[in-house]
Amino acid sequence: MCGIVGAVAQRDVAEILVEGLRRLEYRGYDSAGIAIVDSENNLTRVRRLGKVQALADAVNESHVVGGTGIAHTRWATHGEPSEVNAHPHVSGDIAVVHNGIIENYEELRTSLQERGYVFTSQTDTEVIAHLVEWELRSSASLLEALQKTVKQLDGAYGTVVLDRRDETRVVVARSGSPIVIGLGVGENFLASDQLALLNVTRRFMYLEEGDVAEVTRRDVTVFDASGERVERDVAESNAEHDAGDKGQYRHFMQKEIYEQPTALINTMEGRISGDSVITDAIGVNAKDILSKVEHVQIIACGTSYNAGMTARYWFEDIAGVSCDVEIASEFRYRKFVTRPNSLLITLSQSGETADTLAALRLAKEKGYMAAMTICNVAGSSLVRESDFAFMTRAGVEIGVASTKAFTTQLSALLMLVTALGKQQGRIDKAREKEIVEALHALPNQINQALSFEKEIEALAEDFADKHHTLFLGRGEFYPIAMEASLKLKEISYIHAEAYAAGELKHGPLALIDADMPVVVVAPSNELLEKLKSNIEEVRARGGLLYVFADEDAGFEADDTMKIITMPHVSEITAPIYYTIPMQLLSYYVALIKGTDVDQPRNLAKAVTVE
């Protein structure tokens, strides 16, 4: 969730770097810093705890000037939030900023201390600075020193290095943590996200996994992981920085549905590397805490509650740890028993949900081992008051009905489940690899799911005169049906309910008739045959079915059942994938109904009252 900005130019770049950090504030951070080299090879470094504005004020007071610089916003992983742990880190003439986690930093730190290096911070990043300084002693260039350094690093990193003695260049490496280079005229820039640079350029070059590059004012030279010089494509960006601009989209909700592939990439950045989940990236002391967890208690409201309900299946099936999920407004007002070594997890987009916050404060008095939040807003109350936070990095979500907040919460929860299972020895390397590969594939798969938009738009016409809808799912897809029903009622004002499909015969079958659409989520999994039996129960009573089905599920459409055939995806991430067509269906039904999609009646984005 850290942010990187860098520049090599002939003009002063301090304001450009600070503005770039401001544009990355959505990612979450606790400190910020900048290092700039001027034409006389003077290095000025300024770091501040807290907001980017505090750094900006300090830079202005210090009259920092220079054409080559690097800047960073940090979220603490190794070492507490403090000015001394803030980036950039320095070793001799070398300054470094870094996103990600260096997993073997302890061994490297010990080795470097034996060589006489003194560490001034608790961070894993400082080992990069000292390693580059060490390697530069026997290298022909800063580029060569960085190439030697990255061969010694295990983990995920996006890192940028400058040498005070040469203000004409910076070098950069990317492994598991994105780096983009912004191309200018007689100047070049780099960042962890193109949004940081949209005020200075629209032309971007994206480094690929394992790339190391040298950036000067006029040239960018890229080498791949094998050390071979390569060319990377240059693309023109049409991205909008202003979160308040709908751009090409009709509503913010539509825009945010389409932002989900990028949001998921941001959520996973620096937290998965190769075929593993990086446990240290979950939060401070995550390894120690997760190794002791015997039970998980999730507290949330609305959409976040549905995410927690989905994750309950993952915690118990994948990680083998018991999990309870409770609505915050109920939890806070009942007498509950705290289980031994129980981890409390709160889920919230805003981090200010009143009931969830009150439940957290109550639970902290009841002997929970630790309190963790999964949240989208850095500096929110839940983030500040929890023992550690896992930021979703979804970016600003303006539409009242959550979309990308939900899918990024699910991906964060799946990474947490994997880290928990791995830490407790319940997930082997093969299973972890399977989960990580499914996560890697998810953004592209969601792009494919978005291609069903026209088909779903046409389908939505069938709901124009309907007043009720029933959603069905089994297993972990029951909470996905719950989320689908919530979306439809929120923005179209159609009364909708969700049921576990096996519960039909215990009451809901009485509602079935030709005027009540029944929407079914039907992936190809071990419960498919059971689900087909439930579908037949609906058909036998004259119900009209809309089945979103895996291409391998074997459904055939007829007059009573419309089939939306979905590509096969991993069972692990299928709940996240099937959320997308449900969101699109709700959106287009709301358009037909003519409701206020982004600001539905009676609802607020952040529910800060009881």
Side-chain angles (χ1 to χ4, degrees):
M1 72 192 65
C2 309
I4 287 176
V5 190
V8 187
Q10 291 181 313
R11 54 175 163 163
D12 288 336
V13 296
E15 289 187 10
I16 294 172
L17 298 180
V18 171
E19 174 59 24
L21 293 184
R22 283 199 179 98
R23 290 167 177 248
L24 298 180
E25 285 188 291
Y26 76 92
R27 298 165 66 89
Y29 66 100
D30 50 53
S31 58
I34 190 171
I36 290 182
V37 179
D38 64 22
S39 58
E40 297 180 356
N41 301 116
N42 297 308
L43 174 68
T44 303
R45 177 175 59 156
V46 181
R47 298 179 293 175
R48 289 293 184 270
L49 185 64
K51 295 297 183 183
V52 168
Q53 186 57 50
L55 176 68
D57 293 341
V59 167
N60 289 334
E61 292 170 7
S62 302
H63 305 291
V64 178
V65 296
T68 298
I70 52 179
H72 189 268
T73 50
R74 173 184 186 257
W75 185 272
T77 55
H78 296 78
E80 65 185 8
S82 66
E83 191 170 304
V84 74
N85 285 330
H87 300 211
H89 289 285
V90 170
S91 179
D93 297 312
I94 301 300
V96 172
V97 292
H98 159 239
N99 286 353
I101 299 285
I102 305 303
E103 295 183 82
N104 61 333
Y105 85 100
E106 291 180 339
E107 304 96 282
L108 293 172
R109 185 183 182 103
T110 299
S111 175
L112 288 162
Q113 286 172 329
E114 290 171 353
R115 298 174 197 171
Y117 286 94
V118 176
F119 283 77
T120 60
S121 78
Q122 301 163 299
T123 68
D124 56 336
T125 301
E126 195 174 357
V127 302
I128 301 177
H130 292 318
L131 274 175
V132 172
E133 202 280 337
W134 173 263
E135 295 297 346
L136 187 56
R137 298 180 185 187
S138 58
S139 301
S141 67
L142 185 62
L143 176 69
E144 181 184 338
L146 183 58
Q147 288 172 318
K148 291 178 179 178
T149 295
V150 297
K151 291 177 181 178
Q152 303 171 58
L153 304 178
D154 294 333
Y157 54 83
T159 189
V160 186
V161 183
L162 63 79
D163 184 340
R164 177 188 62 80
R165 297 162 296 185
D166 184 358
E167 45 85 32
T168 66
R169 72 194 70 239
V170 298
V171 294
V172 54
R174 178 254 163 99
S175 178
S177 194
I179 293 289
V180 59
I181 296 172
L183 305 175
V185 178
E187 59 185 9
N188 286 308
F189 307 90
L190 46 89
S192 51
D193 188 321
Q194 67 172 12
L195 292 179
L197 303 177
L198 291 177
N199 61 325
V200 290
T201 184
R202 290 278 170 171
R203 296 177 63 239
F204 295 100
M205 176 190 296
Y206 296 89
L207 296 187
E208 296 184 7
E209 190 73 3
D211 281 355
V212 178
E214 181 179 74
V215 181
T216 68
R217 292 168 187 158
R218 292 180 175 82
D219 298 300
V220 177
T221 310
V222 183
F223 297 85
D224 64 17
S226 65
E228 295 296 318
R229 184 167 177 173
V230 292
E231 298 294 328
R232 298 299 181 214
D233 293 338
V234 175
E236 192 85 16
S237 174
N238 295 316
E240 296 290 340
H241 166 62
D242 186 1
D245 185 353
K246 290 191 288 286
Q248 62 180 311
Y249 298 102
R250 187 169 175 180
H251 296 93
F252 284 111
M253 182 179 178
Q254 185 187 29
K255 174 175 179 275
E256 287 153 10
I257 289 172
Y258 273 82
E259 287 174 342
Q260 286 174 112
T262 299
L264 286 165
I265 290 170
N266 288 337
T267 303
M268 293 184 276
E269 178 196 329
R271 290 159 170 172
I272 53 177
S273 174
D275 55 6
S276 66
V277 172
I278 301 173
T279 305
D280 282 334
I282 302 294
V284 179
N285 299 323
K287 282 184 177 178
D288 181 56
I289 292 170
L290 295 181
S291 66
K292 299 173 183 174
V293 171
E294 297 178 19
H295 176 72
V296 172
Q297 173 68 63
I298 296 176
I299 302 172
C301 301
T303 286
S304 295
Y305 172 74
N306 294 335
M309 289 289 289
T310 307
R312 181 178 64 174
Y313 290 88
W314 291 336
F315 275 109
E316 299 194 342
D317 178 35
I318 297 175
V321 175
S322 62
C323 177
D324 290 325
V325 186
E326 191 150 0
I327 298 168
S329 57
E330 292 296 312
F331 181 86
R332 63 182 290 199
Y333 287 118
R334 73 173 182 86
K335 294 179 174 63
F336 56 86
V337 176
T338 305
R339 298 201 197 180
N341 293 320
S342 185
L343 172 65
L344 181 78
I345 300 175
T346 57
L347 303 177
S348 172
Q349 191 286 135
S350 68
E352 302 293 346
T353 308
D355 283 319
T356 308
L357 187 57
L360 167 66
R361 290 167 178 166
L362 172 64
K364 289 179 74 172
E365 301 173 359
K366 299 294 185 179
Y368 280 87
M369 183 181 69
M372 173 189 186
T373 190
I374 295 177
C375 184
N376 190 41
V377 179
S380 62
S381 297
L382 279 175
V383 170
R384 293 196 311 272
E385 296 186 30
S386 297
D387 296 316
F388 61 110
F390 195 21
M391 305 304 298
T392 56
R393 310 172 184 163
V396 176
E397 188 180 67
I398 292 175
V400 167
S402 283
T403 51
K404 61 182 180 176
F406 180 70
T407 51
T408 54
Q409 281 177 350
L410 287 177
S411 64
L413 283 160
L414 183 53
M415 285 185 281
L416 174 63
V417 165
T418 307
L420 174 60
K422 179 171 68 170
Q423 206 59 31
Q424 299 201 356
R426 295 189 174 97
I427 294 178
D428 60 19
K429 289 298 296 181
R431 180 63 164 158
E432 182 181 14
K433 181 180 180 181
E434 181 186 8
I435 295 168
V436 170
E437 286 178 348
L439 283 167
H440 276 305
L442 189 57
N444 284 335
Q445 290 170 343
I446 286 180
N447 268 323
Q448 293 172 1
L450 290 168
S451 69
F452 286 85
E453 180 178 30
K454 292 300 180 184
E455 184 178 352
I456 294 171
E457 183 178 5
L459 193 73
E461 295 287 347
D462 290 2
F463 292 73
D465 61 346
K466 304 304 180 187
H467 300 286
H468 310 278
T469 301
L470 187 65
F471 289 85
L472 302 178
R474 295 201 72 142
E476 61 266 46
F477 293 89
Y478 168 43
I480 301 305
M482 292 168 58
E483 174 61 13
S485 73
L486 176 61
K487 284 291 154 287
L488 188 67
K489 70 182 71 162
E490 278 182 311
I491 63 171
S492 74
Y493 313 151
I494 291 176
H495 169 246
E497 288 191 69
Y499 269 87
E503 280 290 290
L504 276 174
K505 62 180 68 68
H506 298 287
L509 276 177
L511 299 172
I512 300 300
D513 59 28
D515 292 325
M516 186 176 195
V518 180
V519 181
V520 185
V521 185
S524 182
N525 60 20
E526 62 183 8
L527 291 174
L528 178 60
E529 294 307 314
K530 299 290 185 184
L531 183 63
K532 287 182 177 180
S533 297
N534 304 138
I535 288 171
E536 289 305 316
E537 292 172 342
V538 174
R539 296 178 76 182
R541 289 155 179 83
L544 183 59
L545 287 144
Y546 298 83
V547 183
F548 289 78
D550 186 292
E551 61 188 1
D552 298 331
F555 286 98
E556 293 185 9
D558 59 24
D559 291 341
T560 64
M561 184 164 65
K562 294 188 177 182
I563 308 299
I564 302 86
T565 303
M566 310 296 291
H568 180 71
V569 297
S570 168
E571 285 188 31
I572 299 165
T573 51
I576 308 175
Y577 177 79
Y578 275 85
T579 297
I580 308 307
M582 298 296 104
Q583 293 172 347
L584 289 171
L585 177 62
S586 297
Y587 174 73
Y588 280 106
V589 172
L591 288 190
I592 293 167
K593 290 286 190 179
T595 59
D596 189 337
V597 172
D598 287 333
Q599 294 181 312
R601 66 190 184 198
N602 306 329
L603 299 178
K605 183 61 183 173
V607 184
T608 57
V609 296
E610 184 178 349

